[in-house]
Amino acid sequence: MRQSWGMTIPFYDRSLSNSQELIARLPELGYTDAWSAEVNGVDGFVPLAMAAQWAPGLRLGSAIVPVSTRGPGLLAMSAATLADLAPGRFTLGIGASSPAIVERWNAGTFAKPYARTRDTLRFLKRALAGEKVSETYETFEIKGFKLERAPKTPPKIVLAALRPRMLRLAAEEADGAITNWLSPDDVRKVRAEVGPDTELIARLFVCVDEDVERVRETARWMLASYLTVPVYAAFHDWLGRGEVLRPMHEAWAAGDRRAALKAIPDEVVDSLVVHGDAATCRARINEYVANGLDTPVLAPIPGGDVPIDQAVRDLAPER
């Protein structure tokens, strides 16, 4: 089985409309997958719809679409559309997301995230199989929903999962688990929860840059913005970084952003962000794979001397 090697689309340094040429080159470079993200930039589906036409050889995945910013029926319709555009090549990644994204940015309700994700997964599996669904779930009720045109090949569904309960749900009821912001050593702990047969996917932030201090300065901003989110704070508590990250959390809670950034140890930055020259970066990515990661999804960070176009070429898997 060929090793999966994914890329995040669109790229951080350009719009989707300016990404066509580089996305189209991904298969010839050796990439197998293109995965979107959905925070406050592009949505999770349109980039994949475009990539379905621009790069027909790629598997396409969303990592992730929140389960509380759209209704269950709309999620099913969007997934069915992508499954029709890329038969057998689309994987729907869903997850709980965070209070900021769901409530502050989308006027939704972030309640019972585990149950909402589980219920959405169960609904989508039935709806995308073409069933008419009338069901009362713990977090919502569906009355008589049926896709007008169910996909001939229902997409696989994978879950964003950071801790044991959600990881076990991904292993037991979904087709895989997606994780984020972890080190190669952390992969072993995550893999132990999902078992050997569940696909494990992770977005890896990569900076092809040999200026270590410059990388760390950029990375600290990214880390602070993520690791202060409650779900990621709890994830890193579980991974064993609770005490080393405590000064960052305390400074952040006090509103002292500069002190919070300074409090992130170099070793934490270096363990969670892949950086160095291209060969060093590829070797580090392969450490993740060796420790049990099935699908690395690279997210090249701009800002160094190496432009994104070159980084995408340099980080391509060896063939």
Side-chain angles (χ1 to χ4, degrees), residues 41-211:
V42 295
D43 76 295
F45 292 110
V46 173
L48 303 180
M50 301 310 298
Q53 310 306 309
W54 294 342
L58 294 175
R59 178 172 69 152
L60 308 169
S62 58
I64 53 87
V65 173
V67 296
S68 298
T69 56
R70 295 173 178 82
L74 180 57
L75 266 176
M77 288 186 285
S78 297
T81 302
L82 259 298
D84 180 61
L85 287 172
R89 294 192 293 121
F90 171 58
T91 296
L92 174 64
I94 58 173
S97 191
S98 70
I101 292 173
V102 173
E103 296 184 338
R104 299 209 300 267
W105 298 354
N106 286 286
T109 301
F110 188 80
K112 298 183 176 180
Y114 172 85
R116 178 68 185 234
T117 303
R118 179 203 61 208
D119 294 348
T120 303
L121 169 66
R122 291 174 177 175
F123 163 75
L124 288 170
K125 288 170 70 174
R126 294 182 60 191
L128 290 167
E131 294 183 34
K132 184 176 182 177
V133 182
S134 293
E135 186 80 29
T136 299
Y137 299 92
E138 181 181 345
T139 56
F140 56 80
E141 182 178 5
I142 301 295
K143 297 179 179 180
F145 178 85
K146 189 176 190 298
L147 283 167
E148 183 178 281
R149 182 178 284 110
K152 292 181 180 179
T153 304
K156 291 184 177 181
I157 305 175
V158 295
L159 300 185
L162 298 177
R163 286 183 290 162
R165 194 180 184 201
M166 195 74 84
L167 288 165
R168 287 194 292 268
L169 177 65
E172 293 166 4
E173 298 193 32
D175 298 298
I178 304 171
T179 190
N180 196 7
W181 288 116
L182 76 171
S183 73
D185 287 342
D186 296 333
V187 171
R188 293 191 181 96
K189 186 165 186 175
V190 174
R191 171 57 72 188
E193 296 295 332
V194 299
D197 300 321
T198 299
E199 182 179 11
L200 184 58
I201 303 153
R203 176 166 284 112
L204 307 180
F205 293 92
V206 184
C207 191
V208 183
D209 188 350
E210 296 181 64
D211 187 330

Side-chain angles (χ1 to χ4, degrees), residues 215-267:
V215 172
R216 286 172 177 165
E217 182 178 0
T218 300
R220 279 188 167 88
W221 279 104
M222 298 178 66
L223 286 167
S225 67
Y226 268 91
L227 302 190
T228 53
V229 174
V231 290
Y232 280 100
F235 179 45
H236 283 273
D237 281 347
W238 177 62
L239 291 174
R241 295 191 182 89
E243 286 305 311
V244 75
L245 291 175
R246 185 181 301 278
M248 179 201 70
H249 287 296
E250 291 175 348
W252 192 269
D256 192 339
R257 299 295 188 254
R258 182 175 296 181
L261 296 175
K262 189 176 180 180
I264 303 173
D266 288 346
E267 57 268 25

Side-chain angles (χ1 to χ4, degrees), residues 34-45:
W35 290 78
S36 63
E38 186 171 278
V39 183
N40 61 344
V42 295
D43 76 295
F45 292 110

